Short mmCIF file of all heavy atoms in Angstrom, two decimals:
data_model
loop_
_atom_site.label_atom_id
_atom_site.label_comp_id
_atom_site.label_asym_id
_atom_site.label_seq_id
_atom_site.Cartn_x
_atom_site.Cartn_y
_atom_site.Cartn_z
N GLY A 16 0.80 -1.22 0.00
CA GLY A 16 0.00 0.00 0.00
C GLY A 16 0.83 1.27 0.00
O GLY A 16 0.31 2.37 0.11
N GLY A 17 2.14 1.13 -0.16
CA GLY A 17 3.04 2.29 -0.13
C GLY A 17 4.14 2.14 -1.16
O GLY A 17 3.97 1.49 -2.18
N GLY A 18 5.28 2.73 -0.86
CA GLY A 18 6.39 2.66 -1.78
C GLY A 18 7.58 3.43 -1.27
O GLY A 18 7.59 3.90 -0.13
N ALA A 19 8.59 3.54 -2.12
CA ALA A 19 9.81 4.28 -1.79
C ALA A 19 10.30 4.99 -3.04
O ALA A 19 10.19 4.48 -4.15
CB ALA A 19 10.89 3.33 -1.26
N VAL A 20 10.84 6.19 -2.84
CA VAL A 20 11.39 7.00 -3.92
C VAL A 20 12.90 6.81 -3.93
O VAL A 20 13.55 6.92 -2.90
CB VAL A 20 11.04 8.50 -3.72
CG1 VAL A 20 11.63 9.34 -4.84
CG2 VAL A 20 9.54 8.70 -3.62
N TYR A 21 13.45 6.52 -5.11
CA TYR A 21 14.89 6.36 -5.31
C TYR A 21 15.34 7.47 -6.26
O TYR A 21 15.41 7.27 -7.47
CB TYR A 21 15.22 4.97 -5.87
CG TYR A 21 14.89 3.88 -4.87
CD1 TYR A 21 13.59 3.39 -4.77
CD2 TYR A 21 15.86 3.38 -4.02
CE1 TYR A 21 13.28 2.41 -3.84
CE2 TYR A 21 15.55 2.40 -3.09
CZ TYR A 21 14.26 1.92 -3.00
OH TYR A 21 13.95 0.96 -2.07
N PRO A 22 15.61 8.68 -5.73
CA PRO A 22 15.90 9.82 -6.59
C PRO A 22 17.14 9.65 -7.47
O PRO A 22 17.14 10.07 -8.62
CB PRO A 22 16.07 10.99 -5.63
CG PRO A 22 16.07 10.44 -4.26
CD PRO A 22 15.64 9.01 -4.32
N ALA A 23 18.18 9.03 -6.96
CA ALA A 23 19.41 8.87 -7.74
C ALA A 23 19.19 7.99 -8.97
O ALA A 23 19.83 8.17 -9.99
CB ALA A 23 20.52 8.28 -6.88
N GLN A 24 18.26 7.05 -8.88
CA GLN A 24 17.96 6.17 -10.00
C GLN A 24 16.75 6.65 -10.80
O GLN A 24 16.40 6.05 -11.81
CB GLN A 24 17.70 4.74 -9.50
CG GLN A 24 18.93 4.06 -8.97
CD GLN A 24 19.30 4.50 -7.56
OE1 GLN A 24 18.54 5.15 -6.86
NE2 GLN A 24 20.49 4.15 -7.13
N GLY A 25 16.09 7.70 -10.33
CA GLY A 25 14.95 8.26 -11.05
C GLY A 25 13.73 7.36 -11.07
O GLY A 25 13.00 7.32 -12.06
N VAL A 26 13.51 6.65 -9.98
CA VAL A 26 12.41 5.69 -9.95
C VAL A 26 11.69 5.70 -8.60
O VAL A 26 12.29 5.99 -7.57
CB VAL A 26 12.92 4.26 -10.29
CG1 VAL A 26 13.85 3.72 -9.22
CG2 VAL A 26 11.79 3.29 -10.57
N VAL A 27 10.39 5.40 -8.66
CA VAL A 27 9.57 5.17 -7.47
C VAL A 27 9.09 3.74 -7.58
O VAL A 27 8.56 3.33 -8.62
CB VAL A 27 8.33 6.09 -7.44
CG1 VAL A 27 7.49 5.82 -6.21
CG2 VAL A 27 8.71 7.54 -7.51
N ILE A 28 9.30 2.95 -6.53
CA ILE A 28 8.82 1.57 -6.52
C ILE A 28 7.66 1.50 -5.53
O ILE A 28 7.78 1.99 -4.41
CB ILE A 28 9.93 0.59 -6.13
CG1 ILE A 28 11.08 0.69 -7.12
CG2 ILE A 28 9.38 -0.84 -6.08
CD1 ILE A 28 12.29 -0.15 -6.74
N THR A 29 6.56 0.89 -5.96
CA THR A 29 5.39 0.76 -5.10
C THR A 29 4.98 -0.71 -4.99
O THR A 29 5.38 -1.54 -5.80
CB THR A 29 4.19 1.57 -5.64
OG1 THR A 29 3.77 1.02 -6.90
CG2 THR A 29 4.55 3.04 -5.79
N GLN A 30 4.17 -1.00 -3.98
CA GLN A 30 3.58 -2.33 -3.80
C GLN A 30 2.09 -2.13 -3.49
O GLN A 30 1.69 -2.09 -2.34
CB GLN A 30 4.28 -3.10 -2.67
CG GLN A 30 3.82 -4.52 -2.55
CD GLN A 30 4.55 -5.34 -1.50
OE1 GLN A 30 4.34 -6.53 -1.46
NE2 GLN A 30 5.39 -4.76 -0.65
N PRO A 31 1.28 -1.96 -4.55
CA PRO A 31 -0.15 -1.69 -4.34
C PRO A 31 -0.86 -2.79 -3.54
O PRO A 31 -1.68 -2.50 -2.67
CB PRO A 31 -0.72 -1.59 -5.74
CG PRO A 31 0.45 -1.37 -6.64
CD PRO A 31 1.63 -1.98 -5.95
N THR A 32 -0.56 -4.04 -3.85
CA THR A 32 -1.08 -5.18 -3.10
C THR A 32 0.08 -6.12 -2.81
O THR A 32 1.11 -6.07 -3.49
CB THR A 32 -2.18 -5.94 -3.90
OG1 THR A 32 -1.62 -6.42 -5.12
CG2 THR A 32 -3.37 -5.04 -4.20
N ALA A 33 -0.09 -6.98 -1.84
CA ALA A 33 0.99 -7.87 -1.42
C ALA A 33 1.56 -8.65 -2.60
O ALA A 33 0.83 -9.31 -3.33
CB ALA A 33 0.50 -8.82 -0.34
N GLY A 34 2.87 -8.53 -2.81
CA GLY A 34 3.56 -9.27 -3.85
C GLY A 34 3.51 -8.64 -5.24
O GLY A 34 4.11 -9.16 -6.17
N GLN A 35 2.80 -7.54 -5.41
CA GLN A 35 2.71 -6.86 -6.71
C GLN A 35 3.54 -5.58 -6.65
O GLN A 35 3.21 -4.65 -5.90
CB GLN A 35 1.24 -6.51 -7.02
CG GLN A 35 1.06 -5.76 -8.32
CD GLN A 35 -0.36 -5.24 -8.50
OE1 GLN A 35 -1.00 -4.84 -7.54
NE2 GLN A 35 -0.82 -5.25 -9.73
N PHE A 36 4.60 -5.53 -7.43
CA PHE A 36 5.51 -4.38 -7.41
C PHE A 36 5.41 -3.62 -8.73
O PHE A 36 5.38 -4.21 -9.80
CB PHE A 36 6.96 -4.82 -7.15
CG PHE A 36 7.11 -5.46 -5.80
CD1 PHE A 36 6.95 -6.82 -5.64
CD2 PHE A 36 7.37 -4.68 -4.69
CE1 PHE A 36 7.06 -7.41 -4.39
CE2 PHE A 36 7.49 -5.25 -3.43
CZ PHE A 36 7.33 -6.62 -3.28
N LYS A 37 5.36 -2.30 -8.62
CA LYS A 37 5.27 -1.41 -9.78
C LYS A 37 6.38 -0.37 -9.67
O LYS A 37 6.85 -0.08 -8.57
CB LYS A 37 3.92 -0.68 -9.81
CG LYS A 37 2.71 -1.58 -9.78
CD LYS A 37 2.42 -2.09 -11.15
CE LYS A 37 1.11 -2.88 -11.16
NZ LYS A 37 0.53 -2.96 -12.46
N ALA A 38 6.75 0.20 -10.81
CA ALA A 38 7.76 1.26 -10.80
C ALA A 38 7.36 2.36 -11.76
O ALA A 38 6.77 2.10 -12.81
CB ALA A 38 9.12 0.69 -11.18
N PHE A 39 7.68 3.59 -11.39
CA PHE A 39 7.33 4.77 -12.17
C PHE A 39 8.50 5.75 -12.15
O PHE A 39 9.33 5.74 -11.24
CB PHE A 39 6.08 5.45 -11.58
CG PHE A 39 4.93 4.51 -11.45
CD1 PHE A 39 4.66 3.87 -10.25
CD2 PHE A 39 4.11 4.23 -12.54
CE1 PHE A 39 3.61 2.98 -10.13
CE2 PHE A 39 3.06 3.34 -12.43
CZ PHE A 39 2.81 2.71 -11.22
N ASP A 40 8.51 6.62 -13.14
CA ASP A 40 9.49 7.71 -13.20
C ASP A 40 9.28 8.58 -11.97
O ASP A 40 8.15 8.82 -11.55
CB ASP A 40 9.28 8.52 -14.48
CG ASP A 40 10.45 9.42 -14.77
OD1 ASP A 40 10.71 10.35 -13.96
OD2 ASP A 40 11.10 9.23 -15.79
N SER A 41 10.36 9.09 -11.39
CA SER A 41 10.25 9.89 -10.16
C SER A 41 10.14 11.39 -10.43
O SER A 41 10.23 12.19 -9.49
CB SER A 41 11.44 9.61 -9.24
OG SER A 41 12.64 10.09 -9.82
N ILE A 42 9.94 11.78 -11.68
CA ILE A 42 9.81 13.20 -12.01
C ILE A 42 8.34 13.51 -12.32
O ILE A 42 7.72 12.89 -13.19
CB ILE A 42 10.70 13.59 -13.21
CG1 ILE A 42 12.17 13.30 -12.89
CG2 ILE A 42 10.50 15.05 -13.59
CD1 ILE A 42 12.74 14.06 -11.70
N CYS A 43 7.79 14.48 -11.60
CA CYS A 43 6.39 14.87 -11.77
C CYS A 43 6.17 15.38 -13.20
O CYS A 43 6.98 16.13 -13.75
CB CYS A 43 6.04 15.97 -10.77
SG CYS A 43 4.33 16.54 -10.87
N THR A 44 5.05 14.98 -13.77
CA THR A 44 4.73 15.38 -15.14
C THR A 44 4.19 16.80 -15.23
O THR A 44 4.01 17.32 -16.32
CB THR A 44 3.71 14.41 -15.76
OG1 THR A 44 2.53 14.39 -14.93
CG2 THR A 44 4.28 13.01 -15.87
N HIS A 45 3.94 17.45 -14.10
CA HIS A 45 3.41 18.80 -14.12
C HIS A 45 4.49 19.81 -14.55
O HIS A 45 4.37 20.43 -15.59
CB HIS A 45 2.82 19.18 -12.76
CG HIS A 45 2.38 20.61 -12.66
ND1 HIS A 45 2.89 21.47 -11.72
CD2 HIS A 45 1.51 21.32 -13.40
CE1 HIS A 45 2.33 22.66 -11.89
NE2 HIS A 45 1.49 22.60 -12.90
N GLN A 46 5.53 19.96 -13.72
CA GLN A 46 6.59 20.92 -14.06
C GLN A 46 7.98 20.38 -13.80
O GLN A 46 8.93 21.14 -13.65
CB GLN A 46 6.38 22.24 -13.31
CG GLN A 46 5.25 23.06 -13.86
CD GLN A 46 5.22 24.48 -13.29
OE1 GLN A 46 5.90 24.80 -12.34
NE2 GLN A 46 4.40 25.32 -13.90
N GLY A 47 8.12 19.08 -13.73
CA GLY A 47 9.44 18.47 -13.66
C GLY A 47 10.09 18.42 -12.29
O GLY A 47 11.28 18.16 -12.20
N CYS A 48 9.34 18.65 -11.24
CA CYS A 48 9.91 18.52 -9.89
C CYS A 48 10.01 17.03 -9.56
O CYS A 48 9.21 16.23 -10.03
CB CYS A 48 8.99 19.16 -8.85
SG CYS A 48 8.92 20.95 -8.90
N PRO A 49 10.96 16.66 -8.71
CA PRO A 49 11.01 15.26 -8.28
C PRO A 49 9.89 14.98 -7.29
O PRO A 49 9.56 15.83 -6.46
CB PRO A 49 12.37 15.13 -7.61
CG PRO A 49 12.77 16.52 -7.24
CD PRO A 49 12.09 17.45 -8.20
N VAL A 50 9.27 13.80 -7.41
CA VAL A 50 8.29 13.42 -6.40
C VAL A 50 9.06 13.17 -5.12
O VAL A 50 10.24 12.84 -5.14
CB VAL A 50 7.44 12.20 -6.84
CG1 VAL A 50 6.65 12.52 -8.09
CG2 VAL A 50 8.29 10.96 -7.04
N THR A 51 8.38 13.34 -3.99
CA THR A 51 9.12 13.29 -2.73
C THR A 51 8.75 12.15 -1.80
O THR A 51 9.55 11.77 -0.96
CB THR A 51 8.93 14.61 -1.97
OG1 THR A 51 7.54 14.87 -1.84
CG2 THR A 51 9.60 15.76 -2.70
N ASN A 52 7.53 11.62 -1.92
CA ASN A 52 7.15 10.56 -1.01
C ASN A 52 5.98 9.75 -1.54
O ASN A 52 5.35 10.13 -2.53
CB ASN A 52 6.83 11.13 0.38
CG ASN A 52 5.62 12.04 0.38
OD1 ASN A 52 4.51 11.64 0.05
ND2 ASN A 52 5.82 13.29 0.73
N VAL A 53 5.73 8.64 -0.87
CA VAL A 53 4.56 7.81 -1.15
C VAL A 53 3.82 7.72 0.17
O VAL A 53 4.37 7.26 1.17
CB VAL A 53 4.97 6.41 -1.64
CG1 VAL A 53 3.74 5.57 -1.96
CG2 VAL A 53 5.88 6.51 -2.86
N ASP A 54 2.58 8.19 0.16
CA ASP A 54 1.81 8.21 1.40
C ASP A 54 0.34 8.21 1.06
O ASP A 54 -0.09 8.83 0.09
CB ASP A 54 2.17 9.47 2.20
CG ASP A 54 1.61 9.45 3.61
OD1 ASP A 54 1.60 8.37 4.24
OD2 ASP A 54 1.19 10.51 4.08
N GLY A 55 -0.46 7.50 1.83
CA GLY A 55 -1.90 7.49 1.64
C GLY A 55 -2.32 6.88 0.31
O GLY A 55 -3.34 7.27 -0.26
N GLY A 56 -1.54 5.96 -0.21
CA GLY A 56 -1.87 5.31 -1.47
C GLY A 56 -1.55 6.12 -2.71
O GLY A 56 -1.95 5.75 -3.81
N THR A 57 -0.80 7.22 -2.55
CA THR A 57 -0.42 8.03 -3.71
C THR A 57 1.06 8.38 -3.66
O THR A 57 1.67 8.46 -2.60
CB THR A 57 -1.23 9.34 -3.81
OG1 THR A 57 -1.05 10.10 -2.61
CG2 THR A 57 -2.70 9.08 -4.06
N ILE A 58 1.61 8.60 -4.86
CA ILE A 58 2.96 9.13 -5.03
C ILE A 58 2.78 10.64 -5.07
O ILE A 58 1.98 11.14 -5.86
CB ILE A 58 3.58 8.61 -6.34
CG1 ILE A 58 3.63 7.08 -6.34
CG2 ILE A 58 4.96 9.23 -6.55
CD1 ILE A 58 3.87 6.47 -7.72
N ASN A 59 3.50 11.36 -4.24
CA ASN A 59 3.23 12.78 -4.04
C ASN A 59 4.38 13.68 -4.46
O ASN A 59 5.53 13.42 -4.15
CB ASN A 59 2.90 13.02 -2.58
CG ASN A 59 1.79 12.12 -2.11
OD1 ASN A 59 0.70 12.13 -2.64
ND2 ASN A 59 2.08 11.29 -1.11
N CYS A 60 4.01 14.76 -5.14
CA CYS A 60 4.96 15.81 -5.50
C CYS A 60 4.61 17.02 -4.64
O CYS A 60 3.50 17.56 -4.74
CB CYS A 60 4.86 16.16 -6.98
SG CYS A 60 5.97 17.51 -7.44
#
């Protein structure tokens, strides 16, 4: 239900449900800021 941001590698890894891992770019699509955390079921910028 959470995740971790790996800024040096430019990736956010999440685990939406047990055993299911997803990865996303760590740069916000709005204005290019790095996302900073995963909380409350969302990746947050």
